[in-house]
Amino acid sequence: MPPRKRRSPGHIEELPSGSFRAVVFAGLNPQSGRERRIRETARTHAEATKLLTKLQRQVDENKQPKSSITVGQSVAQWLEVADLQTTTRERYDDLIRLYVLPTFGILQAGKLDAELLERFYARLQKCRELVSSIALPDLRRRRQRLMCER
């Protein structure tokens, strides 16, 4: 068997604008089998060299984003395959629509971390009245709800 061709850990390419792009091979996408590459652009070759080193370190430490999927897309895909009772699905749909998507919907799933989730959960705990006031719309609760949403 011939020796397996080794992939280059990365390279720098010059763009038509005069900027430089650092490109690093980050493995294969397990679903599609296509190559994943991470890229960053810099103004100078020296900056691109530093970026190349940083990207290679991210790949070595397995810290690069696996895809550009958003939290909203990820939640939608999960809901498609989740085995839920009708009432549970309706409740999840409502909670996701009201709380998760406005906060995290367009965020790349790879950028969602524990700190963001903890702050989100703390805000929900602090504004517990927000959740309970949906069914009881009196003037006092509406004011509190508006204060929590800010």
Side-chain angles (χ1 to χ4, degrees):
M1 182 179 348
R4 195 166 183 208
K5 183 181 174 188
R6 293 193 69 181
R7 295 185 194 276
S8 168
H11 64 277
I12 297 172
E13 52 193 24
E14 187 171 3
L15 301 175
S17 67
S19 297
F20 295 86
R21 179 187 299 145
V23 182
V24 176
F25 175 75
L28 297 174
N29 181 322
Q31 293 176 330
S32 68
R34 294 174 54 184
E35 290 185 355
R36 287 187 301 118
R37 297 190 182 277
I38 52 176
R39 300 170 173 85
E40 285 198 37
T41 305
R43 292 178 189 253
T44 67
H45 193 277
E47 290 173 4
T49 304
K50 289 178 185 177
L51 282 176
L52 182 65
T53 303
K54 180 185 105 175
L55 294 175
Q56 288 169 335
R57 189 175 331 107
Q58 285 179 355
V59 169
D60 291 342
E61 295 171 357
N62 202 21
K63 290 185 177 179
Q64 79 281 2
K66 302 294 185 227
S67 73
S68 60
I69 190 170
T70 65
V71 172
Q73 293 168 329
S74 180
V75 168
Q77 288 177 4
W78 175 75
L79 283 172
E80 287 177 9
V81 297
D83 184 24
L84 303 170
Q85 297 294 323
T86 304
T87 55
T88 304
R89 180 174 298 279
E90 290 170 356
R91 181 68 176 146
Y92 283 9
D93 284 338
D94 288 343
L95 293 172
I96 290 166
R97 180 178 47 82
L98 291 171
Y99 302 106
V100 176
L101 294 181
T103 306
F104 301 118
I106 60 171
L107 180 70
Q108 268 191 343
K111 293 184 178 179
L112 186 63
D113 62 8
E115 181 184 350
L116 284 173
L117 290 174
E118 286 173 3
R119 285 191 298 179
F120 175 66
Y121 185 69
R123 193 179 98 219
L124 288 179
Q125 289 293 346
K126 179 181 172 191
C127 299
R128 196 178 325 198
E129 293 244 346
L130 174 67
V131 176
S132 62
S133 68
I134 293 172
L136 304 170
D138 65 25
L139 186 57
R140 182 176 56 84
R141 289 184 188 246
R142 280 190 203 161
R143 272 193 227 126
Q144 289 175 344
R145 182 177 176 187
L146 287 173
M147 287 173 58
C148 285
E149 288 177 347
R150 289 186 189 148

